[in-house]
Amino acid sequence: DVQMTQSPYTLSASVGDRVTITCRASDSVDGFLAWFQQKPGEAPNLLIYEASRLETGVPPRFSGSGSGTEFTLTIDGLQPDDFATYYCQQYDSYSRGYTFGPGTKVDI
Amino acid sequence: EVQLLESGGGVVHPGGSLRLSCAASGFSFGDYTMAWVRQIPGRGLQWVASSAPSTFYAGFVRGRFTITRDDSKRTVFLHMRSLSAEDTAIYYCAKARSPYTSETFNVWGQGTMVTVSS
């Protein structure tokens, strides 16, 4: 099974900062990589799919890039509403399974 | 509006069984992969099972869980047996982003809490 890692584990930032989170896969994920935001007490919210495509309704300050085994989520101009935990997720077309990264908490 | 509403969570004894339900509305249910994802409070997300409608399971399920769906009732179920404390989690129902694909999930329910405790 493909294993996912994220760095950093936690990230302290300020409003207006540019923030980058990295996600690495143990094997190529063929671009089937998504990013989610989760706030305490809420379900995850899809931000990015297919590594770089912005989900409808998500602010353009969020962007994704990468391919193969290394991907990044960038928040350009952090807003107060962005303090949350971010997860990457891959879909394995061979096993038809999904694996989430361990999460990155963005706080003040 | 696309909505998913889970139910069926609660407290169950170790070794017990539980059936979770997820009622869907606002989209053509039969065309979409549906999944269950769980989260131990304070921890990360863990995919449990998918119905596409072929079924797929995470390794830790080990034959204990079964995902089924009733397209006529727009509902997906997760039947869980031989539960242990390690299964204590919030269980989310999720919908695939696009029809006839299984890539990722763009709609999630609010979650239902399952507590396995004696």
Side-chain angles (χ1 to χ4, degrees):
Chain A
D1 292 353
V2 177
Q3 304 300 313
M4 309 298 291
T5 59
Q6 287 182 233
S7 60
Y9 179 70
T10 61
L11 190 160
S12 294
S14 300
V15 172
D17 283 353
R18 178 183 173 96
V19 166
T20 299
I21 299 168
T22 299
C23 174
R24 291 185 174 86
S26 59
D27 199 356
S28 177
V29 298
D30 294 328
F32 293 131
L33 192 287
W35 289 96
F36 292 87
Q37 176 194 68
Q38 187 179 34
K39 298 177 183 177
E42 298 184 6
N45 181 47
L46 177 65
L47 301 174
I48 302 286
Y49 65 99
E50 293 178 7
S52 62
R53 297 180 180 273
L54 194 67
E55 174 66 357
T56 302
V58 175
R61 64 180 178 271
F62 292 93
S63 63
S65 64
S67 62
T69 61
E70 187 158 331
F71 301 86
T72 60
L73 172 71
T74 299
I75 310 172
D76 207 349
L78 198 67
Q79 296 300 300
D81 192 46
D82 301 338
F83 291 96
T85 299
Y86 294 84
Y87 295 93
C88 62
Q89 176 230 350
Q90 71 87 22
Y91 166 65
D92 185 332
S93 59
Y94 176 73
S95 69
R96 308 294 290 274
Y98 305 81
T99 307
F100 291 88
T104 294
K105 184 177 182 181
V106 176
D107 59 19
I108 300 173
Chain B
E1 181 186 4
V2 177
Q3 283 191 324
L4 301 174
L5 185 62
E6 302 99 334
S7 60
V11 180
V12 60
H13 291 307
S17 301
L18 207 59
R19 188 187 78 164
L20 306 182
S21 302
C22 171
S25 60
F27 63 100
S28 184
F29 181 80
D31 294 343
Y32 287 82
T33 294
M34 299 298 295
W36 290 93
V37 176
R38 72 183 188 181
Q39 184 171 37
I40 298 170
R43 303 282 297 276
L45 299 162
Q46 188 177 36
W47 169 71
V48 176
S50 300
S51 173
S54 299
T55 57
F56 304 92
Y57 298 94
F60 71 85
V61 167
R62 298 190 301 272
R64 301 179 301 127
F65 296 179
T66 303
I67 185 171
T68 63
R69 61 192 293 161
D70 185 336
D71 288 355
S72 68
K73 295 183 178 178
R74 307 171 61 84
T75 302
V76 61
F77 303 94
L78 185 67
H79 308 258
M80 305 185 292
R81 63 180 178 85
S82 301
L83 288 163
S84 70
E86 288 69 37
D87 297 312
T88 294
I90 301 167
Y91 285 74
Y92 293 103
C93 171
K95 162 194 166 291
R97 186 184 177 279
S98 300
Y100 314 115
T101 71
S102 300
E103 294 177 16
T104 192
F105 313 121
N106 71 328
V107 178
W108 297 62
Q110 84 291 349
T112 187
M113 183 71 201
V114 172
T115 302
V116 184
S117 174
S118 55

